Amino acid sequence: MARSSTFVDVAIIGAGPYGLSLAAHLRRRAVEHRIFGEPMGPWKTNMPPGMLLKSYPWATSLSDPDSEFDLKRFCAERALPYHDELMPLPLSRFVDYGEAFQSRYVPAVERKALIGLEPGAGFLRATFDDGETVEARRVVVSIGLSPFKRLPPEAALLPAELCSHSSEYGSLDGLDGREVVVVGSGSSASDLAALIHERGISVSLVARRPKLQFADGPRHRSWLSRAIAPMSGIGHGWTLATCAKYPQLIQHLSKDLRIRLANHRALGPLGGAFVRDRVVGKIPALLGQEIRHVGTHNGKVMLNLVDPCGAERLMKADHVIFATGYKIDVSRLRFLNPALLQHLQLVDGAPQLSAHYETTVPGLHFIGPAAANSFGPVCRFVCGTDHSARHLARHLSAVLARYRPALQLRPLDRTVLP
C-alpha cells in the first residue's frame, strides 16, 4: 500500500507560544512552512482552570512581525480588564489570547501529532499519527515542557491511580471527595493547592524547603531601586535583565556557566504573588520535610516524612500530586529515531545549539525551554518567543533562499512506495 509523502521547507512541531510566533514570522517572510500541533495545547489541557500566570502581563505576549498584537492590545479590543503589573493574568485569558493570535497570524495549523522523526538524504522525514510523512529541509521542535515532567524515585513505588504529576491537570474533577497531598514548593504546587482547597477538597502541602517563597507583590519602585535591580520579563536584577535582553550572548559562554544561568537561583521554586494569601494560613503546610519512604495501605498512600532534626512523621492520603518540576532530557522524546538521537550532542540532557538554534543534526532546531541551556532562562518564558522567532525566521529565510531556483522545479507531492 502506498503512503502519502509531501515536501516542505520548514516543519514546525508544536503550536504553543514559540511555535505560533515562529510561524507568524515565517509567514511574513513568505518562507514555505507547515506547523503541527494543537494550538496552545498544553496550556489548555495540562494546566488547571482558574490558574493565574506568574509572569507579568506586559511580558506575556507572543511575537508577531510588527509587534502590534500584544496581550494589552488583545484585552483592549475586547474591553477586558488589564494592567501591566497590578492585576494577575488568568490562564483562560492567556489561552484566549493565544488562540486569537493563531487565528490572526497562523490560520493553517494542522492538528496532528508527530510520532517519528528520522534523517534522510538532505532532509528530515517526519511521520504523523494520521499516516502522513513529511520530508522537510528544516524541522523546528517547539514542544514546551510537557514531555519532560520530573518525578522523584518515590513515585515509581506508587500505582498510577494513587499519584500524578502537576502537569496532568487539567480538570480537578477526579480529586473530589479525596484527601490530597501536594509535594513541592513552587508555583505549580501553590497554584494547585489553592485551587484544590477552594474546591472544598482536603489538601496539604509537603516540601523540603523550610519556607514557602512567593514573588513580590506589585509595588511602586523608585528610580534608585530600578537602577540597582532593573525589571525584566523574567525577574529583577542585572543578571536576569541581561539574560532576557541578550540571549544571543549567552550562547557564547562556557557550558557550566550556561547551565547555571538556565537554572538561576532567582528562578527557583517560587509561588505567584497573587496566590500567597490563598495558601498561607489556609492550607496545612509541612515544611522542611524529606520523604524517607512511600507505600500503600488499604488503598491509601503512606508517606514517611523526616525533618532536619530527625523527627519522623507519618502521613496518609488518597492521592499524592508531585509538583516536582521538569528536567529537559531529549532522549525521552519517543519520536526521535535512535540513529538521529545518537548524533545529537547534549548539554545536561538538552540539545547543544548553534547561534541559529540548530542542533548537531543538520537541519534540526529546538526553541522554547529545550533551548535554555544554550540561550539562557528567557527560553522558559513567553517573552523569549521574540528573539527565537525573529532570529530563526531571518536565518531560515536567508538559508532557504539559496535553494530557491531548485525548489521551483521540485514537485510538492510525491508517492513513496514502502
Side-chain angles (χ1 to χ4, degrees):
M1 179 178 178
R3 99 187 138 155
S4 170
S5 179
T6 58
F7 202 102
V8 70
D9 283 346
V10 182
I12 303 171
I13 309 302
Y18 277 82
L20 292 174
S21 295
L22 175 60
H25 285 263
L26 291 178
R27 187 178 183 218
R28 167 61 64 84
R29 291 178 174 271
V31 174
E32 181 196 33
H33 67 280
R34 293 172 67 182
I35 177 171
F36 305 92
E38 177 64 32
M40 302 297 289
W43 295 88
K44 292 189 290 190
T45 59
N46 296 90
M47 299 183 188
M51 192 188 87
L52 302 176
L53 273 66
K54 189 167 65 172
S55 55
Y56 293 115
W58 67 264
T60 317
S61 296
L62 280 64
S63 177
D64 68 84
D66 296 318
S67 300
E68 63 180 10
F69 191 59
D70 57 10
L71 182 65
K72 184 175 183 178
R73 171 80 173 269
F74 167 79
C75 291
E77 288 182 356
R78 288 157 178 77
L80 298 171
Y82 173 89
H83 192 280
D84 281 346
E85 301 173 30
L86 297 182
M87 62 174 56
L89 175 61
L91 170 66
S92 58
R93 187 161 303 159
F94 179 63
V95 169
D96 289 345
Y97 162 65
E99 292 182 326
F101 182 100
Q102 179 260 314
S103 178
R104 183 176 296 201
Y105 294 102
V106 195
V109 176
E110 300 178 58
R111 291 168 167 82
K112 51 187 175 182
L114 179 70
I115 60 172
L117 185 65
E118 58 187 339
F123 56 84
L124 293 166
R125 181 181 294 109
T127 303
F128 293 89
D129 58 358
D130 65 349
E132 184 185 9
T133 297
V134 175
E135 295 172 355
R137 292 191 182 277
R138 301 280 169 152
V139 171
V140 183
V141 179
S142 173
I143 53 174
L145 286 170
S146 294
F148 304 116
K149 63 184 180 183
R150 176 168 52 188
L151 286 165
E154 295 83 8
L157 303 175
L158 297 174
E161 64 270 18
L162 297 183
C163 76
S164 56
H165 188 268
S166 56
S167 66
E168 296 169 16
Y169 301 86
S171 170
L172 301 175
D173 292 350
L175 300 176
D176 286 340
R178 310 178 79 178
E179 189 173 10
V180 178
V181 168
V182 177
V183 177
S185 59
S187 59
S188 294
S190 55
D191 286 348
L192 265 175
L195 291 167
I196 292 170
H197 169 74
E198 290 162 2
R199 194 179 173 93
I201 300 171
S202 175
V203 61
S204 301
L205 271 170
V206 171
R208 287 182 300 179
R209 288 181 171 249
K211 184 179 180 181
L212 294 176
Q213 301 286 340
F214 294 88
D216 293 334
R219 70 187 191 282
H220 173 73
R221 301 181 72 226
S222 68
W223 68 267
L224 181 59
S225 66
R226 293 196 300 270
I228 295 173
M231 184 170 64
S232 75
I234 65 175
H236 295 167
W238 281 102
T239 298
L240 292 181
T242 302
C243 288
K245 191 170 184 179
Y246 303 109
Q248 69 274 19
L249 299 182
I250 295 171
Q251 199 266 338
H252 299 288
L253 301 176
S254 70
K255 177 183 72 173
D256 291 342
L257 184 53
R258 283 186 279 117
I259 292 174
R260 287 204 300 272
L261 285 173
N263 300 282
H264 195 284
R265 59 183 175 81
L267 300 172
L270 189 72
F274 293 95
V275 180
R276 180 199 299 266
D277 293 340
R278 297 163 59 193
V279 172
V280 176
K282 293 183 172 63
I283 297 173
L286 283 76
L287 306 178
Q289 304 287 322
E290 292 279 353
I291 299 178
R292 173 165 289 180
H293 177 73
V294 299
T296 61
H297 181 70
N298 291 336
K300 290 184 178 290
V301 182
M302 312 301 291
L303 296 173
N304 183 246
L305 308 176
V306 60
D307 68 17
C309 298
E312 296 189 17
R313 177 194 300 262
L314 184 65
M315 286 190 74
K316 66 178 181 178
D318 297 309
H319 194 89
V320 176
I321 301 173
F322 291 98
T324 44
Y326 304 85
K327 174 68 171 68
I328 302 297
D329 181 1
V330 297
S331 67
R332 295 171 58 186
L333 298 177
R334 296 182 179 180
F335 59 74
L336 290 179
N337 177 277
L340 186 151
L341 186 59
Q342 71 179 2
H343 288 95
L344 275 177
Q345 183 175 338
L346 305 180
V347 178
D348 192 32
Q352 172 67 53
L353 302 178
S354 74
H356 307 304
Y357 295 86
E358 188 172 11
T359 70
T360 47
V361 172
L364 178 60
H365 305 254
F366 277 79
I367 56 177
N373 281 1
S374 292
F375 287 89
V378 72
C379 298
R380 294 163 50 186
F381 294 78
V382 176
C383 63
T385 59
D386 195 61
H387 180 268
S388 61
R390 292 185 187 280
H391 179 93
L392 193 49
R394 183 169 58 248
H395 171 70
L396 293 177
S397 177
V399 168
L400 293 168
R402 304 170 194 167
Y403 297 97
R404 217 151 271 159
L407 294 178
Q408 291 172 357
L409 300 177
R410 67 157 194 238
L412 290 180
D413 295 280
R414 293 177 287 170
T415 297
V416 179
L417 297 178

